[in-house]
Structure formats: C-alpha cells, structure tokens
C-alpha cells in the first residue's frame, strides 16, 4: 500500500481564494471561493481582491481539510502560490501558508502559478490521460497566454507568449464593448454557437510566429461596434450571435495558427491545454479536428483544474515534496515570476 502523503495547496494569485488537499496525485478536496465583488466593476479590482482573500482564506482552508476528512496534523507539507499574480492577493496566501507551516512544523513549498497550470495535467482523475514528455503546453486564461515546451516536471521553457493582453481579456473586453457582463468569455461562446463565424472578418494580429497580441483585436472591435451602432443603434442586439461567432472564430484560428507553428518548430505533437479559456467550445472542436487531421495528441484537464484552483498547487507541492524541494520560511511573494 502506498503511504499517505497529504499536501495542502493554497492559491490566492488573483480573484479566487482556493485550498485543496491531494494524496498521491488524487484530489481529496478542491475548494474555491470565487469573488463576486469584481463583477460590477467589469474586471478584477486588486485592492478588493486582497481584502476578500483575507476574509475567505480561513474558511476555505477549513473546508478543504473538512472535505478531505483529515486533520491538519495529518498534513505532510503546505504548498502555496508564490507568483506570478497580484501582489496584494499573493501576500494573503503566502503569509497564511508560512504561518500554518511554522505552526505545524512541516515543510513549506513555494509554487509558480504557471507551473501549476501545466502540471495540473498530472492530477489523477477518472478518464483523464496524461501527456508524455516532451509536450507543448498552451495556457490560456484571463491572466495568461503562453506556449511552453515542457521537457520534464521542472524543465520548462516559454517559447511564445502574449505581448499585451491575455486571450481571456480579449474575450472579456470585447464582450464588455458589446454590453455583456463580466466575465464575458463564456457568453461569447454561448452566443457564438448560433452565429455565422464568417459574418464579420476581424484581422488576426501580426507578431512573431509563436507570440500573441490581442490589444489590436479589442480596438478593432471597439471601432467596429461604434461605427455600426451609429448607423443602427440596435446593431449589437440584432447581430449578437454573428459578432460573437466571428470574434471567436478569429481568436480560435489565431491560437491554432500559433500551435501549428510551435509543432512545426519543435516537432512535438503532444499538446496540453490549460486555463479558463480551454472551456471554449471553439478551441475544443479545433483541437479535436487537429487530432484527426494532424495526428496530434491533445489533453485538457477537467474544467475545475483548468481555471484557477488549489488542486494544481497541491499537485506541484506533491511533486516537489517527493524531490525534497522545500523553501525557507522567509520566502516572499513575487508578482512577476518567470517559468
Ligand atoms: O483561468 P481563469 O478562471 O482565471 C484566470 O484568468 O486566471 O480564466 C478566466 C477566463 C476569463 O477571461 C473568462 O472569460 C474565460 O476564462 N473563459 C472563457 C470561457 N470560459 C471561461 N472564454 C471563452 N470561452 C469560454 N467558454
Ligand atoms: Zn491562472
């Protein structure tokens, strides 16, 4: 029988306060308190996020332990997100993790949030296949857009990334221009299902073969909507499905172009996707087609491990624990942190 190795993961890099317990790759609990407060502002407000983390962290950790049916004395180590993220948010999780590890006299493990999105693929879940090294990881969310060549658990290299906005922001900001509530990504996806993807041609931004740029798309959307609503104030209402389908088609095509470039450059056809935008039906369909037509193997973790969560932090914690990769108690949160 494998020995118990309960690791607590804590995530507080942006607007989700999360805690999870993992044991030998199996998630025993995965608690996320999503902060609703930002909805009325149309985006995350850093000061409000850190305050909400302060309120949420104790009950969220309690709940994670309770759901995992373990006592804190059963924990082998505490893993926490050190960065990248919003400083005020990271400080809450970091300080809490440091105090708890000190109190329990167990090792403290610092985790890079971007490693965690990628290593979430190694969480054991029913029906979940795991990518083989080396693989290409595309992390797409409201905060990140990166292509990473993953040679091993801790041997990763960023080969492409966004030069401005993240892809989730392109969805959310465009949605806001159309008058949709935050976060607009899932709504664009929903309306796109019934629209014509070729109705409005949006130009794909031109940058290096593996890099991304989304700010131009947002500006193009703004001018397009302004121009059309001057002619017909009900333009968005009348054409919502077609606008969403065209926007989504452009973004998905752009992401696929970059992945194809990365495959051509590296010769790697193992493709692992993570981040909230991987819920998008357009990207899922495009990946399925690439499996059939281009011979890729594609991997998407369960949705709860794609969006910001602490199970992925606990997963990295476990991998680091097995290598005895601990950190000192004077560790500090880092807003900018390289892979
Ligand atoms: O990973 P995540 O929960 O949080 C971070 O941003 O780190 O990702 C949230 C992002 C938001 O921008 C949201 O609009 C986008 O993921 N998103 C989607 C879909 N579901 C979530 N974008 C497009 N289509 C979706 N179905
Ligand atoms: Zn994230």
């Amino acid at each position: 029988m494998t020995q118990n190795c309960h690791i607590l993961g804590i995530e507080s890099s942006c607007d989700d306060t999360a805690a999870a317990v993992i044991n030998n790759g199996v998630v025993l609990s995965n608690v996320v308190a999503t902060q609703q407060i930002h909805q009325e502002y149309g985006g995350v407000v850093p000061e409000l996020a850190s305050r909400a983390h302060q309120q949420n962290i104790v009950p969220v950790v309690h709940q994670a332990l309770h759901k995992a049916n373990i006592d804190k004395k059963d924990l082998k180590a505490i893993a926490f997100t050190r960065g990248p993220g919003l400083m005020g948010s990271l400080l809450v999780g970091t300080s809490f993790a440091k105090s708890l590890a000190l109190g329990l006299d167990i090792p403290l493990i610092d985790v890079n949030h971007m490693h965690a999105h990628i290593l979430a693929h190694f969480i054991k879940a029913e029906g979940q296949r795991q990518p083989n090294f080396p693989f290409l990881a595309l992390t797409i969310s409201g905060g990140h857009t990166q292509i990473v060549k993953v040679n091993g658990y801790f041997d990763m290299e960023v080969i492409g990334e966004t030069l401005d906005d993240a892809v989730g922001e392109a969805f959310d900001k465009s949605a806001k221009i159309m008058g949709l509530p935050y976060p607009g990504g899932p709504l664009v996806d929903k309306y796109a299902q019934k629209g014509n993807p070729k109705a409005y041609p949006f130009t794909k931004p031109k940058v290096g073969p593996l890099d991304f740029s989304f700010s131009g798309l947002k500006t193009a959307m703004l001018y397009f909507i302004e121009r059309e609503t001057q002619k017909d104030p009900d333009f968005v209402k009348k054409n919502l499905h077609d606008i969403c389908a065209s926007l989504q088609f452009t973004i998905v095509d752009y992401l696929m172009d970059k992945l194809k470039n990365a495959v051509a450059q590296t010769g790697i056809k193992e493709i692992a996707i993570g981040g909230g935008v991987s819920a998008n039906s357009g990207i899922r369909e495009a990946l399925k087609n690439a499996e059939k037509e281009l011979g890729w193997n594609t991997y998407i973790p369960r949705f709860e491990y794609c969006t910001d969560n602490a199970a992925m932090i606990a997963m990295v914690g476990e991998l680091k624990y097995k290598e005895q990769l601990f950190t000192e108690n004077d560790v500090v949160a880092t807003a900018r942190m390289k892979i």
Side-chain angles (χ1 to χ4, degrees), residues 11 13 113-114 117 139 141 143-144 275 306-308 312:
E11 155 65 31
S13 65
H113 181 88
M114 299 312 296
H117 270 301
T139 310
S141 76
H144 350 278
C306 275
T307 54
D308 282 352
M312 66 182 190

Side-chain angles (χ1 to χ4, degrees), residues 11 13-16 44 113 117 140-144 166-172 182-190 193 248 274-283 303 306-309:
E11 155 65 31
S13 65
C14 188
D15 60 338
D16 293 304
V44 177
H113 181 88
H117 270 301
I140 41 177
S141 76
H144 350 278
V167 59
E169 285 181 282
F171 273 107
D172 296 340
Y182 174 85
L187 293 170
V188 170
D189 191 6
K190 183 177 140 198
Q193 320 269 333
Q248 181 159 310
V277 179
S278 53
N280 185 267
S281 61
I283 188 79
F303 187 61
C306 275
T307 54
D308 282 352
N309 68 89

Side-chain angles (χ1 to χ4, degrees), residues 13-36:
S13 65
C14 188
D15 60 338
D16 293 304
T17 319
V21 177
I22 205 166
N23 184 25
N24 293 309
V26 177
V27 176
L28 302 185
S29 63
N30 185 29
V31 179
V32 184
T34 302
Q35 304 174 0
Q36 305 298 340

Side-chain angles (χ1 to χ4, degrees), residues 84-319:
L86 301 170
M87 190 42 121
S89 291
L90 290 165
L91 280 173
V92 178
T94 304
S95 311
F96 187 89
K98 283 162 73 163
S99 319
L100 190 57
L102 195 66
L104 294 170
D105 194 22
I106 54 175
L108 182 65
I109 300 172
D110 62 325
V111 173
N112 180 320
H113 181 88
M114 299 312 296
H115 281 179
H117 270 301
I118 294 168
L119 297 176
H121 285 275
F122 296 96
I123 291 172
K124 289 183 190 144
E126 222 176 276
Q128 197 72 53
R129 295 171 307 123
Q130 303 186 340
N132 301 297
F133 296 118
F135 64 88
L136 296 176
L138 173 70
T139 310
I140 41 177
S141 76
H144 350 278
T145 308
Q146 271 190 339
I147 304 180
V148 181
K149 182 167 173 271
V150 187
N151 303 312
Y153 292 128
F154 302 109
D155 179 4
M156 303 184 188
E157 183 192 344
V158 178
I159 58 170
E161 63 188 328
T162 183
L163 306 178
D164 41 58
D165 290 351
V167 59
E169 285 181 282
F171 273 107
D172 296 340
K173 289 180 178 173
S174 299
K176 193 176 173 186
I177 293 167
M178 288 186 263
L180 299 174
Y182 174 85
L187 293 170
V188 170
D189 191 6
K190 183 177 140 198
Y191 296 126
Q193 320 269 333
K194 289 195 204 132
N196 172 9
K198 302 278 172 67
Y200 305 104
F202 292 110
T203 317
K204 290 187 277 183
K206 287 185 188 60
V207 285
L210 302 185
D211 286 329
F212 303 84
S213 166
F214 290 100
S215 63
L217 195 60
K218 174 190 64 191
T219 317
M221 177 62 104
L222 181 68
Y223 291 151
F224 168 70
I225 299 290
E226 270 180 6
R227 201 171 55 237
E228 294 300 327
T229 42
Q230 264 168 18
K231 289 186 242 162
D232 175 3
D234 287 335
F235 174 76
V236 172
K237 212 162 115 196
K238 286 181 191 159
N239 300 287
L240 187 61
H241 293 107
D242 283 351
I243 307 169
C244 289
S246 302
L247 172 71
Q248 181 159 310
F249 174 79
T250 310
I251 293 177
V252 169
D253 209 39
Y254 189 53
L255 294 175
M256 290 305 290
D257 283 351
K258 301 297 175 171
L259 273 180
K260 285 176 193 163
N261 292 344
V263 170
Q265 188 176 303
T266 61
I268 299 169
K269 291 186 175 185
E270 292 275 305
I271 314 289
I273 316 293
V277 179
S278 53
N280 185 267
S281 61
I283 188 79
R284 283 176 175 251
E285 199 185 322
L287 289 170
K288 238 187 248 161
N289 289 339
E291 290 219 334
K292 275 187 255 150
E293 288 158 18
L294 305 171
W296 295 3
N297 292 320
T298 66
Y299 306 86
I300 305 181
R302 282 179 25 189
F303 187 61
E304 63 263 39
Y305 306 141
C306 275
T307 54
D308 282 352
N309 68 89
M312 66 182 190
I313 306 301
M315 181 70 238
V316 182
E318 181 181 303
L319 292 165

